Amino acid sequence: MEHNSSVHSNKRDRTAGSTSVRANSRSGRSAEVPDGFLLPLANSSELAVELRIRIARGDWIEGEKLPSVRRMSEETGLHRLTVYKAYNRLKDEGLIESREKSGYYLTVPRRPAETGFGSVQRFRSPEQSENESPGAEAPQPALLGELHSVECRYQFSQALIDPLLLPNSYLSEEAKHVFDLYPRVLGTYAPLQGDEELLNVLRRYMSETCGFVPEGQELLVTSGGQEAIHLTCEALVRPGDAVLIEQPSYSVAIEMFKHRNARLVPVDIHPDGYRMDEIEALMRRHRPVLFYLNPTFHNPTGWCVPAEQRKRLADLAETYNCILVEDDAFRDVYFDTPPPPPVYSYDTAGNTIYIRSFSKYVFPGLRIGCLAARADLMRRLLTAKARSTGGTPLLNQKVFAHQFQSERSRRHLHKLRTALQLRKEAMEKALEGSGWTWHSPQGGLNLWIKLPEGISPQRLLADALGSGSGEDTISFVPGSFFDPESRPDPHIRLSFSMLNERRISEGVALLRAHAEKQGFR
């Protein structure tokens, strides 16, 4: 998200006011969003998060003084003690320093354009050294997008398909063919709901693979699954609303709901699914507006919720008037047998929004996704779509429609499943004897791994990225990124989809070596 205002431009006069957005009065939060901030703020934790984001995007330069406690209190509407606590959090993380009788100053370098957005060195305290105690936590990138943008040799953080596994030359030729079929394709917009040709293709696909057919106007084409989640937030969530969300969960969705000032209520997910009595108790107690869930080859764990629980979820949603937002990004990436039907297929009351993304494994550059919803929900989602993009690019839709269900595409998907299964097995083999534990997934792109006691995922990430040599740097995602409450977590997510078997073995061996060194400190 781009922001036009920033505190480091403090030479201008701010006294005239600041950008404001009204918050829901029942949230009890400030009704104003201070200039340069994303949302109304309620406590020191939220202020600290916002300040980390602004530091990461370069709102201040190294050595620059931050606004005083008094001034920050005035700009945010927070008590001075709340601001003081937030500043001291950043101080403890090594991002800022306090100077006696002077104030707080940024200690990390501003992002240099030539080093990329995710340069992890700017998150490391100057005082950090090899002699630090094992319990000390190393600062880490504030957002998953930053971590993904860090250049490294062994890329285990991105749950994306290796481009070498895609039929790139074929896709290029077929894209050119679309211009012959539709010479005016660049001369017009697509309908708001989507190109009718693609909508028909998606209806046939869902009939074949999902057990339902969206009727009439119940299907909307989006620019990937991420836009579909964003539209759902915009259409349904107000500040202070309770939202059930899995723990762990997709980190981008967590960020979106937090930026809507939703009140997140974690729901534990296990290898065998949910504890349904827990979900019912949470729905009864919190009366959530929605439950965001990822039941099929769950991100990050890879677990798959059984069919009987999916049916029960649809029943609970109807009983407690809770909307289920089912994110189904990995349905086609299975290794043995197809997964159970979506929750949407069990819903007879219209309480489910079904989100499909094809960006992970089918023509990623086209960014095609869709969502299905009954008429009353769809009207609200279409309003949000009209206010945001106004429609998904027509060229992308035409290219996707012509190739998605072709025989060539079907053969490619079959080969892709085999290649990904081989890469998963290579990663599991490389982890043998490590003492690390995981549940082997039957689909998806990730391993969710629990590290032995005494190994810090944050410190391991800092060591793996900050080793000083571009030849052996490694990225992965610490478990805390997937926690709705951002708590420390002993897990890490390793994605096996971006590297071939040989490089997976090399990268895992190096990562294990870093962990062993940490264990001896």
Side-chain angles (χ1 to χ4, degrees), residues 137 140-142 144 147 156-157 246-252 254-255 258 269 298-301 447-451 455-461 475-494:
E137 294 294 338
Q140 63 185 23
L144 188 60
L147 180 56
F156 295 138
S157 68
E246 294 159 331
Q247 182 173 275
S249 186
Y250 179 38
S251 60
V252 173
I254 293 173
E255 292 168 15
K258 284 185 174 179
I269 184 169
H298 174 264
N299 184 9
T301 67
L447 291 187
W448 181 243
I449 299 169
K450 186 176 182 180
L451 299 178
I455 303 297
S456 162
Q458 285 76 15
R459 182 174 297 283
L460 183 59
L461 177 63
S475 70
F476 63 86
V477 189
S480 58
F481 277 61
F482 303 100
D483 191 295
E485 298 175 338
S486 302
R487 298 172 302 180
D489 190 292
H491 291 85
I492 64 174
R493 192 192 76 178
L494 295 184

Side-chain angles (χ1 to χ4, degrees), residues 165-187:
L165 293 179
L166 302 176
N168 298 294
S169 298
Y170 169 74
L171 296 180
S172 176
E173 290 302 316
E174 290 303 311
K176 296 174 185 176
H177 182 54
V178 167
F179 283 104
D180 296 331
L181 293 173
Y182 307 98
R184 300 178 181 177
V185 68
L186 295 181

Side-chain angles (χ1 to χ4, degrees), residues 161-181 358-368 395-413 416:
I161 300 295
D162 180 356
L164 295 177
L165 293 179
L166 302 176
N168 298 294
S169 298
Y170 169 74
L171 296 180
S172 176
E173 290 302 316
E174 290 303 311
K176 296 174 185 176
H177 182 54
V178 167
F179 283 104
D180 296 331
L181 293 173
F358 307 98
S359 299
K360 296 288 187 184
Y361 59 96
V362 185
F363 318 146
L366 296 180
R367 296 290 295 168
I368 293 295
L395 174 60
N396 295 14
Q397 295 187 62
K398 287 295 188 185
V399 173
F400 188 91
H402 274 260
Q403 299 309 315
F404 177 50
Q405 286 204 298
S406 67
E407 184 58 33
R408 175 66 181 265
S409 180
R410 293 173 189 267
R411 292 198 305 269
H412 159 68
L413 185 55
L416 181 62

Side-chain angles (χ1 to χ4, degrees), residues 1-74:
M1 182 181 294
E2 297 292 333
H3 301 272
N4 295 324
S5 55
S6 61
V7 169
H8 85 264
S9 58
N10 53 18
K11 297 178 180 62
R12 66 184 179 179
D13 183 8
R14 291 177 178 269
T15 58
S18 61
T19 305
S20 64
V21 176
R22 292 290 163 186
N24 191 320
S25 60
R26 60 197 171 104
S27 70
R29 301 184 176 189
S30 169
E32 301 293 323
V33 179
D35 191 17
F37 287 84
L38 300 177
L39 287 172
L41 304 170
N43 53 45
S44 62
S45 296
E46 292 185 0
L47 177 57
V49 169
E50 293 286 329
L51 290 172
R52 289 189 200 104
I53 293 171
R54 300 190 65 179
I55 290 171
R57 73 175 188 235
D59 281 10
W60 296 282
I61 62 174
E62 184 180 9
E64 184 175 359
K65 184 178 179 180
L66 273 66
S68 66
V69 171
R70 178 186 60 78
R71 181 172 176 182
M72 185 63 73
S73 173
E74 292 172 351

Side-chain angles (χ1 to χ4, degrees), residues 367-385:
R367 296 290 295 168
I368 293 295
C370 66
L371 61 80
R374 304 296 164 79
D376 55 339
L377 288 174
M378 182 59 75
R379 283 192 293 270
R380 299 164 71 178
L381 293 163
L382 284 172
T383 298
K385 177 76 171 177

